[in-house]
Amino acid sequence: MHQDDMESRIRNAVEHVAPDPLENILSSRGSQENAVCPAAEKKVRKKTRWTSLAAAAILALICCGGFAAWQNASAVASVISLDVNPSIQLRVNARENVLSADPMNEDAEVILENMELKGSQLNVAVNAIVGSLLQHGYLDRISSAILISVEDSDAQRASRLENSLMDQVNATLQNASSGAEILSQVVERTDGLEDKAAASGISVGKAALVEQVQTCNGALDFDGLSALSVAELHQLQSAGAPAMPIGQDAAFSSALAQAGLSAADVLSWEADPELDETPPHYEVELKTASGKWEFDVDAYTGAILNGSAATAQETRPASPSSAGSIGEAAAKRAALDHAGITDESSLKYINCWLEYDNGQPHHYQVEFQTRTARYEYEIDLTTGAVLDAETEQTASSSGPASSPSPAPSSLPSAAGRIGVETAQSIALSDAGLSASDVTGLKVELDREGGTEIYDVEFRTSGVEYDYELRASDGAILKSDWEAGKTSSTTAVSADVGAEAAKSAAFLDAGVSAESVTHLKIEADTKKGTAVYKIEFKVSDTEYEYEIRASDGAVLSRDTDH
């Protein structure tokens, strides 16, 4: 309430409560010119005093009500922390209006730059922050993780906020095609936890996660753990926290030294933690003006496990003919010929370099891009044979010339999609195979950048295939095959086939093929027995089956609503 409005309301209230009685008294006595009337004077004095008291009382009531409303709107009801490596803390009132948005470290200051979140709704602020985290590259990798922490004395409200924020962030990341993991917790603030968080420059939520890691290994230093990202902390906890990892910066330095490069040579770099794998390591990628370098760095010692260079002296040779290699020019030509590209001047760029494995030259890596597609090739050092080829659509078209898509009119439509069976047929046809030729067949409906796609995977005895098809019309957006890998399945004398195994699972679940989404079929072995692993979803229910390959018997069933 503005000051002028409040003063006006007070005046009106006083006037109505204490009307002036003098005029009525005088008129009832007739004309009293020159008469002395001390009683009237006394009444006036009493009225003035009464009016003052009434005004004071009303002013007190109005001010108290206004103060109470102001106090309620300004009171902190919940504290929300969002942590990746940037650490951001939001204080909100009971109406979920943001009272303050505080960066807890330097990375967070960049994320919140030019944002005015005070006074906005909590969901609006969280969307803005997650969008900024995505824009700055903190949530664009599968190894990324974001931690949502809620502090609130009202347990019911804390649980509701945790669930709603989880759903909101999950929807935002799905729309952005981010594979980042979402973690959440309700935190009880204590003086000791708050002091630790303040001393380390992190949120109370991240401090609580650090303490959880310390329960696995109490010898680990709190400040050292605080410097790790949420993804590192989560993976470290999953692995039992055997030791303190070296961190992403140290992994970068190790890879830099191994490549014989200086920091000034590097245009950009990434160090993805894989602390819960065996052996624990960081996947480090360095991008320079001349190409890309990749290393696996031991997470605890900093040793190079493998990568594109073994020593600082092993830079990219222009023509390693002394090692019996075909040379970069021939490797480029082999990749371009396979892609059906005759004019190198039509490319946006082309890069070629040697990849190393355990210190020895392994193959040529060739990457280039046309107006509509991006290509990645692995070329054999000595023969020029294509070991691996990957094509990805970069512009709206029907796909690479080597992978024509069938006409949309020939595709049966199901809710705007071509359907699982059609997607499977398109990929197999492009590979020149039939369903009986392959094993490990998987078909899954997914979404990338707002576009629905089918992921289709299968393998033969010597090659693994991976396709991405646009779900609306079956256009091949991406195709990948790799030579030299054999099937992991064990041959059996009898095999009912993937189609029969799928039918057995559908029959047992009591569902129709038309109602199924997210279908996956994979041939595997279990204790020496060939099986088909079948997963699918119908409405809100997920099913997992193991079907014996020899006779189609149901070996196991798992249903999750």
Side-chain angles (χ1 to χ4, degrees):
M1 182 182 296
H2 295 294
Q3 184 71 21
D4 292 343
D5 294 335
M6 182 175 289
E7 291 176 356
S8 176
R9 291 178 64 175
I10 293 172
R11 282 196 301 272
N12 290 335
V14 170
E15 289 173 0
H16 283 83
V17 169
D20 190 349
L22 179 59
E23 184 177 345
N24 293 334
I25 294 172
L26 293 177
S27 62
S28 66
R29 297 182 60 186
S31 177
Q32 300 291 328
E33 189 176 356
N34 298 324
V36 178
C37 185
E41 183 179 352
K42 192 172 184 180
K43 289 275 187 182
V44 170
R45 284 197 298 270
K46 184 177 288 187
K47 176 253 182 180
T48 302
R49 182 183 177 194
W50 197 94
T51 301
S52 300
L53 291 173
I58 293 170
L59 178 62
L61 287 172
I62 293 176
C63 288
C64 286
F67 177 75
W70 172 84
Q71 187 180 42
N72 185 55
S74 303
V76 177
S78 311
V79 178
I80 313 298
S81 302
L82 301 173
D83 291 281
V84 181
N85 192 37
S87 190
I88 298 168
Q89 186 168 272
L90 301 173
R91 298 178 184 272
V92 300
N93 63 15
R95 295 182 178 180
E96 297 184 17
N97 294 121
V98 176
L99 303 176
S100 67
D102 305 311
M104 309 304 292
N105 53 17
E106 291 183 3
D107 290 343
E109 291 176 0
V110 176
I111 297 301
L112 293 178
E113 189 175 13
N114 299 324
M115 284 192 192
E116 183 52 61
L117 300 179
K118 184 178 179 180
S120 64
Q121 280 291 112
L122 175 61
N123 62 336
V124 174
V126 170
N127 267 341
I129 292 169
V130 173
S132 184
L133 288 167
L134 285 164
Q135 182 182 357
H136 287 82
Y138 284 102
L139 296 174
D140 60 350
R141 297 186 296 277
I142 196 68
S143 60
S144 305
I146 181 171
L147 173 65
I148 303 168
S149 305
V150 180
E151 304 170 51
D152 197 313
S153 57
D154 185 329
Q156 187 174 1
R157 182 170 56 197
S159 179
R160 178 181 57 79
L161 278 174
E162 180 189 15
N163 292 330
S164 65
L165 291 174
M166 276 279 290
D167 291 342
Q168 180 185 341
V169 173
N170 182 54
T172 302
L173 295 184
Q174 282 190 347
N175 290 335
S177 298
S178 168
E181 188 171 6
I182 306 173
L183 312 173
S184 70
Q185 61 181 355
V186 174
V187 178
E188 183 178 352
R189 180 182 290 261
T190 64
D191 291 340
L193 190 63
E194 191 168 7
D195 291 343
K196 288 181 179 180
S200 298
I202 59 176
S203 71
V204 172
K206 187 175 181 181
L209 179 59
V210 170
E211 284 194 341
Q212 292 172 31
V213 175
Q214 285 186 312
T215 61
C216 300
N217 186 347
L220 301 185
D221 177 61
F222 187 94
D223 289 337
L225 291 172
S226 298
L228 301 177
S229 68
V230 167
E232 290 172 287
L233 290 171
H234 180 55
Q235 292 176 14
L236 189 62
Q237 183 184 17
S238 299
M244 179 71 76
I246 61 174
Q248 294 173 321
D249 289 340
F252 165 64
S253 298
S254 182
L256 202 65
Q258 188 72 8
L261 301 171
S262 68
D265 297 325
V266 178
L267 300 177
S268 64
W269 65 275
E270 295 176 358
D272 289 341
E274 301 292 350
L275 307 183
D276 51 357
E277 292 190 0
T278 304
H281 63 280
Y282 289 90
E283 293 179 354
V284 183
E285 181 182 286
L286 312 175
K287 290 185 179 179
T288 68
S290 56
K292 182 172 64 176
W293 303 66
E294 295 178 348
F295 296 92
D296 286 350
V297 180
D298 189 283
Y300 299 112
T301 67
I304 301 296
L305 301 176
N306 57 67
S308 59
T311 66
Q313 289 73 34
E314 287 176 335
T315 56
R316 299 176 190 172
S319 179
S321 56
S322 60
S325 300
I326 61 173
E328 287 187 4
K332 287 181 182 179
R333 191 67 264 163
L336 292 172
D337 288 345
H338 187 274
I341 298 172
T342 57
D343 184 11
E344 189 172 328
S345 64
S346 66
L347 303 177
K348 289 187 175 182
Y349 67 84
I350 182 168
N351 292 324
C352 179
W353 65 89
L354 272 175
E355 287 281 1
Y356 289 78
D357 187 12
N358 294 324
Q360 298 299 318
H362 185 263
H363 64 268
Y364 280 106
Q365 185 77 19
V366 183
E367 296 184 1
F368 53 93
Q369 183 174 339
T370 65
R371 184 179 60 85
T372 59
R374 184 182 297 112
Y375 300 82
E376 294 185 10
Y377 277 85
E378 293 180 6
I379 305 298
D380 188 272
L381 284 174
T382 57
T383 67
V386 176
L387 302 176
D388 181 70
E390 183 175 340
T391 307
E392 183 175 0
Q393 204 81 358
T394 59
S396 177
S397 74
S398 61
S402 60
S403 303
S405 299
S409 59
S410 66
L411 303 173
S413 176
R417 297 190 294 266
I418 61 172
V420 170
E421 298 293 337
T422 305
Q424 169 186 310
S425 298
I426 293 171
L428 289 171
S429 176
D430 183 79
L433 299 167
S434 65
S436 60
D437 297 327
V438 304
T439 58
L441 180 63
K442 297 181 184 178
V443 184
E444 183 177 10
L445 183 64
D446 204 350
R447 182 179 291 274
E448 284 189 3
T451 300
E452 285 190 327
I453 63 169
Y454 282 108
D455 286 325
V456 185
E457 298 177 18
F458 50 91
R459 57 178 174 265
T460 63
S461 59
V463 182
E464 291 187 358
Y465 298 83
D466 188 1
Y467 282 82
E468 288 186 3
L469 282 69
R470 191 162 53 218
S472 60
D473 60 6
I476 297 176
L477 303 180
K478 183 178 177 181
S479 60
D480 181 23
W481 61 269
E482 185 173 357
K485 292 189 177 181
T486 58
S487 171
S488 62
T489 60
T490 301
V492 293
S493 57
D495 190 334
V496 297
E499 288 296 317
K502 178 182 70 174
S503 298
F506 289 178
L507 180 63
D508 185 83
V511 300
S512 63
E514 292 76 17
S515 65
V516 168
T517 61
H518 297 77
L519 174 65
K520 294 181 183 178
I521 306 175
E522 182 179 9
D524 203 353
T525 57
K526 184 176 182 181
K527 297 181 179 179
T529 300
V531 299
Y532 284 102
K533 291 184 176 180
I534 302 176
E535 299 177 16
F536 54 93
K537 186 176 181 181
V538 177
S539 186
D540 295 327
T541 305
E542 294 179 354
Y543 300 85
E544 292 183 12
Y545 279 84
E546 284 185 354
I547 307 295
R548 190 161 55 210
S550 60
D551 58 4
V554 177
L555 300 181
S556 70
R557 175 181 62 238
D558 187 16
T559 305
D560 187 13
H561 299 280

